[in-house]
């Protein structure tokens, strides 16, 4: 699925990734995954979710509605465990990070949480300031 | 299996209507004296005597052929005995009929009483049965215990809710202190947390039941959004009722409304996507093959996502309540909760009045 891309003024965003483009050779191990990890660390906001997952769509729509246009990495159903593991190790770090559940939102190179946390922080008014701090929003 | 036939309707529905049982019994009693006909009352005339001399006469009185004609030559005492049996049978039949009619009358009275009680309770906003159409016994032949439990607990929940609303109203009018008010407010917030817990469990038992708001009254269901109220809508209704507010509070509430709207829109778009995915799943493959099991399997998997939607929608509702309690002072929060509770009471009363309004005969 390719979500619509609307670039904010003066902010070039890369096109959204799918496993088609991110993974060279049909497997979720190897360079593809490393690229994802790099992007998570580099991008202000990034969404990673299972292909075809409606909740991932919800997160994306919510963030887009706020003026954030996060890159979305879609994981094939069979690769979820591998991707989650890699992210847990590289991003969350150590055993205390806890399992990554999809859809997962990363803000400022760190695991922010899932849909529930995004909703809760938005309702409480904390989300937008956090996004601004991470450089995902200007205004 | 619960397949309603005349004799085997569940006692819960039929306790008032036991007479149906009585009808067949009474009818059978009638039938067992097969040689009786409509002429019974005539036979039992006290001053009617049958002896060999008045046979012809009695035949004339009876007015219709009677097997006793053929027995004109049999001994009289046999005839006498039969007549006595007939009289007895007729008497018993009349007694049974009388008993049956009495039972009908008392059942009718009981029914009228129950209907009155129901009406009174409904108008006070109490929860009654959620409508017989949402009955979870019988039609499909299986009982969904998760939903039955939910409906029962919801009944208690509403009654407790009404009690708390009354108490809160009294407390606000009596101008009790903030400390005591906080206890009431916390209590009501916990009570709302309770309904969300119940809905979470019910969604796992039957997500479509929760999605369609089956436990709610008709007017409440008119405002349904993914299994409950729409937070942004409710904020617009309640906002004016909580005045006076500070400028900052008004701004905070406005922002809260905006955030709710955005969260709701995102969730609604997700629902649209789910519908699209589901439709694609169901419609996949060739038609006119007559079989569609792979489509069903795939569609069933997609439907699982519905539970998440209901949960997320409830999550938004809960978060909105939490945020309101942060924005408002304790007294304002009390007024807000009172307004919220009363609003739903009124919707429930509206539903009841609407369903009982006088209608033109067809």
């Amino acid at each position: 699925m390719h979500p619509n891309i609307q670039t904010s003024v003066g902010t070039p965003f890369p096109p959204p990734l799918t496993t088609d483009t991110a993974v060279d050779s049909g497997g979720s191990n190897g360079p593809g995954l490393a690229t994802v990890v790099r992007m998570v660390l580099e991008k202000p906001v990034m969404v990673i979710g299972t292909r075809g997952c409606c909740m991932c769509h919800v997160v994306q729509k919510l963030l887009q509605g706020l003026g954030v246009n996060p890159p979305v990495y879609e994981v094939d159903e069979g690769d979820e465990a591998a991707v989650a593991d890699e992210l847990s190790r590289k991003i969350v770090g150590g055993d205390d990070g806890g399992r990554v559940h999809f859809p997962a939102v990363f803000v400022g190179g760190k695991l922010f949480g899932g849909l529930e946390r995004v909703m809760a922080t938005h309702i409480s008014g904390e989300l937008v300031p956090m996004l601004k701090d991470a450089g995902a929003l200007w205004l | 299996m619960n397949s309603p036939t005349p004799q085997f309707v569940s006692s819960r529905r039929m306790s008032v209507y036991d007479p149906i049982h009585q009808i067949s019994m009474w009818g059978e009693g009638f039938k067992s004296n097969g040689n009786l006909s409509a002429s019974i009352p005539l036979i039992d005339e006290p001053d009617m005597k049958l002896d060999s001399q008045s046979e012809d006469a009695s035949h004339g009185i009876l007015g219709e052929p009677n097997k006793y004609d053929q027995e004109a030559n049999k001994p009289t005492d046999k005839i006498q005995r039969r007549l006595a049996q007939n009289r007895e049978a007729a008497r018993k039949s009349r007694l049974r009929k009388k008993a049956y009619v009495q039972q009908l009358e008392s059942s009718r009275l009981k029914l009228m009483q129950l209907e009155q009680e129901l009406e009174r309770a409904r108008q006070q906003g109490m929860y009654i049965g959620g409508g017989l159409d949402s009955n979870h016994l019988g039609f499909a032949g299986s009982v969904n215990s998760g939903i039955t439990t939910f409906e029962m607990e919801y009944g208690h929940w509403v009654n407790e809710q009404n009690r708390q609303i009354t108490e809160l109203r009294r407390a606000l009018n009596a101008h009790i202190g903030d400390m005591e008010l906080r206890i009431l407010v916390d209590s009501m917030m916990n009570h709302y947390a309770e309904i969300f817990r119940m809905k979470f469990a019910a969604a796992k038992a039957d997500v479509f039941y929760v999605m369609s708001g089956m436990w709610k009254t008709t007017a409440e269901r008119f405002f349904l959004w993914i299994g409950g109220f729409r937070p942004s809508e409710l904020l617009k209704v309640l906002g004016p009722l909580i005045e006076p507010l500070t400028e900052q509070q008004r701004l905070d509430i406005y922002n809260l409304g905006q955030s709710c709207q955005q969260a709701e829109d995102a969730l609604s778009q997700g629902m649209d996507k789910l519908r699209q995915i589901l439709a694609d799943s169901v419609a996949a493959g060739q038609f006119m093959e007559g079989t569609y099991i792979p489509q069903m399997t795939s569609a069933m998997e997609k439907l699982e996502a519905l539970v998440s939607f209901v949960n997320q929608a409830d999550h938004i509702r809960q978060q909105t309540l939490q945020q309101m309690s942060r924005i408002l002072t304790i007294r304002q929060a009390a007024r807000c909760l009172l307004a919220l509770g009363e609003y739903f009471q009124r919707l429930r009363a509206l539903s009841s009045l609407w369903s009982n309004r006088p209608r033109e005969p067809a």
Side-chain angles (χ1 to χ4, degrees):
Chain A
M1 190 195 75
H2 296 265
N4 294 327
I5 293 301
Q6 285 145 9
T7 49
S8 320
V9 175
T11 322
F13 271 96
L17 298 177
T18 64
T19 46
D20 304 308
T21 54
V23 180
D24 297 310
S25 51
S28 54
N29 307 312
L33 211 43
T35 316
V36 174
V37 173
R38 192 167 39 83
M39 288 198 67
V40 165
L41 292 167
E42 287 174 3
K43 299 293 166 204
V45 184
M46 184 144 171
V47 177
I48 301 182
T50 313
R51 188 186 301 280
C53 170
C54 294
M55 286 311 172
C56 185
H57 189 77
V58 174
V59 172
Q60 194 187 3
K61 287 298 167 191
L62 182 55
L63 291 171
Q64 281 176 353
L66 302 179
V68 181
N69 216 350
V72 180
Y73 178 77
E74 287 181 313
V75 181
D76 285 321
E77 273 187 48
D79 303 335
E80 279 158 327
V83 176
D85 270 341
E86 184 71 6
L87 290 167
S88 292
R89 277 186 295 125
K90 294 285 172 56
I91 309 292
V92 187
D95 315 301
D96 63 324
R99 276 300 249 108
V100 172
H101 296 283
F102 297 126
V105 178
F106 297 85
V107 177
K110 292 200 280 271
L111 176 65
F112 182 75
L115 175 60
E116 205 159 289
R117 178 144 195 247
V118 172
M119 292 274 194
T121 49
H122 186 47
I123 303 272
S124 68
E126 296 162 303
L127 182 63
V128 168
M130 279 186 204
L131 291 173
K132 284 185 181 164
D133 283 346
L137 267 180
W138 284 264
L139 271 167
Chain B
M1 282 278 270
N2 278 353
S3 47
T5 64
Q7 286 99 349
F8 293 103
V9 284
S10 79
S11 59
R12 176 173 155 266
R13 269 194 241 166
M14 293 312 292
S15 56
V16 179
Y17 290 106
D18 262 2
I20 285 179
H21 221 53
Q22 305 296 328
I23 292 175
S24 45
M25 271 169 54
W26 183 53
E28 253 137 46
F30 227 152
K31 276 188 236 141
S32 65
N33 299 292
N35 37 353
L36 298 177
S37 61
S39 55
I40 290 175
L42 294 171
I43 293 174
D44 205 38
E45 288 302 319
D47 47 1
M48 240 199 66
K49 285 190 168 68
L50 195 71
D51 54 42
S52 46
Q53 286 146 327
S54 57
E55 267 174 353
D56 291 335
S58 65
H59 176 62
I61 288 168
L62 285 172
E64 52 186 304
N66 184 305
K67 73 186 265 186
Y68 303 116
D69 287 335
Q70 296 144 11
E71 297 173 316
N73 298 324
K74 296 273 174 75
T76 318
D77 54 355
K78 219 178 186 180
I79 296 171
Q80 293 277 28
R81 208 169 6 111
R82 286 220 183 90
L83 285 175
Q85 283 170 355
N86 284 356
R87 278 198 294 279
E88 192 50 43
R91 193 176 63 85
K92 284 198 183 124
S93 182
R94 273 198 307 281
L95 283 174
R96 275 199 302 273
K97 180 178 179 181
K98 195 175 171 192
Y100 163 63
V101 168
Q102 274 174 354
Q103 204 167 25
L104 267 185
E105 288 292 301
S106 66
S107 294
R108 195 172 138 266
L109 279 174
K110 193 174 170 198
L111 182 63
M112 274 165 46
Q113 266 175 2
L114 281 175
E115 281 181 348
Q116 277 175 4
E117 271 182 43
L118 220 59
E119 199 40 56
R120 239 179 282 129
R122 274 212 182 95
Q123 277 171 4
Q124 287 165 24
M126 261 170 75
Y127 166 79
I128 308 288
L132 289 173
D133 59 304
S134 69
N135 197 334
H136 265 253
L137 299 174
F139 294 120
S142 64
V143 177
N144 189 330
S145 65
I147 297 303
T148 315
T149 306
F150 175 81
E151 287 189 334
M152 191 189 65
E153 288 177 349
Y154 182 68
H156 298 318
W157 188 89
V158 170
N159 294 336
E160 173 61 17
Q161 177 78 344
N162 290 334
R163 192 196 65 76
Q164 287 194 11
I165 289 170
T166 309
E167 198 177 359
L168 196 55
R169 194 183 300 122
R170 215 180 289 134
L172 280 172
N173 288 335
H175 305 290
I176 69 169
D178 279 7
M179 292 300 287
E180 295 102 312
L181 207 51
R182 175 169 293 281
I183 294 172
L184 291 179
V185 167
D186 285 348
S187 176
M188 197 168 267
M189 292 293 282
N190 286 334
H191 197 57
Y192 276 112
E194 186 59 36
I195 188 74
F196 289 121
R197 269 195 294 277
M198 284 161 54
K199 284 174 74 182
F200 184 79
K204 284 190 273 202
D206 184 349
V207 70
F208 280 110
Y209 177 91
V210 179
M211 275 289 303
S212 320
M214 294 305 296
W215 70 98
K216 290 178 179 278
T217 60
T218 44
E220 288 174 287
R221 250 181 270 148
F222 180 62
F223 293 95
L224 204 69
W225 174 77
I226 310 185
F229 62 83
R230 192 186 269 266
S232 60
E233 222 171 58
L234 211 55
L235 281 175
K236 284 196 206 108
V237 169
L238 296 177
L241 305 175
I242 328 173
E243 294 283 351
L245 295 163
T246 67
E247 204 49 51
Q248 182 62 46
Q249 283 177 325
R250 256 181 242 124
L251 184 62
D252 288 341
I253 292 177
Y254 173 78
N255 287 334
L256 176 59
Q258 292 296 103
S259 305
C260 281
Q261 189 75 65
Q262 284 158 341
E264 290 161 20
D265 286 348
L267 213 54
S268 294
Q269 287 181 71
M271 282 288 285
D272 289 341
K273 174 120 188 102
L274 180 61
R275 278 189 208 105
Q276 176 213 312
I277 289 178
L278 188 65
D280 289 346
S281 247
V282 170
Q286 295 278 17
F287 276 66
M288 298 179 269
E289 272 173 5
T291 63
Y292 35 77
I293 295 175
Q295 290 88 336
M296 293 299 105
T297 314
S298 149
M300 293 274 279
E301 285 168 22
K302 309 287 188 287
L303 277 177
E304 297 286 341
L306 218 46
V307 179
S308 307
F309 276 99
V310 170
N311 291 340
Q312 287 304 323
D314 275 351
H315 183 64
I316 296 177
R317 292 173 187 118
Q318 269 192 295
Q319 291 300 316
T320 306
L321 280 174
Q322 295 288 345
Q323 181 66 2
M324 278 298 269
S325 72
R326 277 180 226 125
I327 295 173
L328 302 173
T329 66
I330 198 67
R331 201 154 291 267
Q332 287 166 331
R335 282 210 305 275
C336 180
L337 286 173
L338 182 58
L340 177 63
E342 256 188 55
Y343 178 68
F344 281 108
Q345 273 178 338
R346 291 187 191 185
L347 282 180
R348 285 194 279 274
L350 178 62
S351 304
S352 176
L353 287 168
W354 178 257
S355 66
N356 288 318
R357 74 194 189 285
R359 265 165 270 230
E360 293 298 314

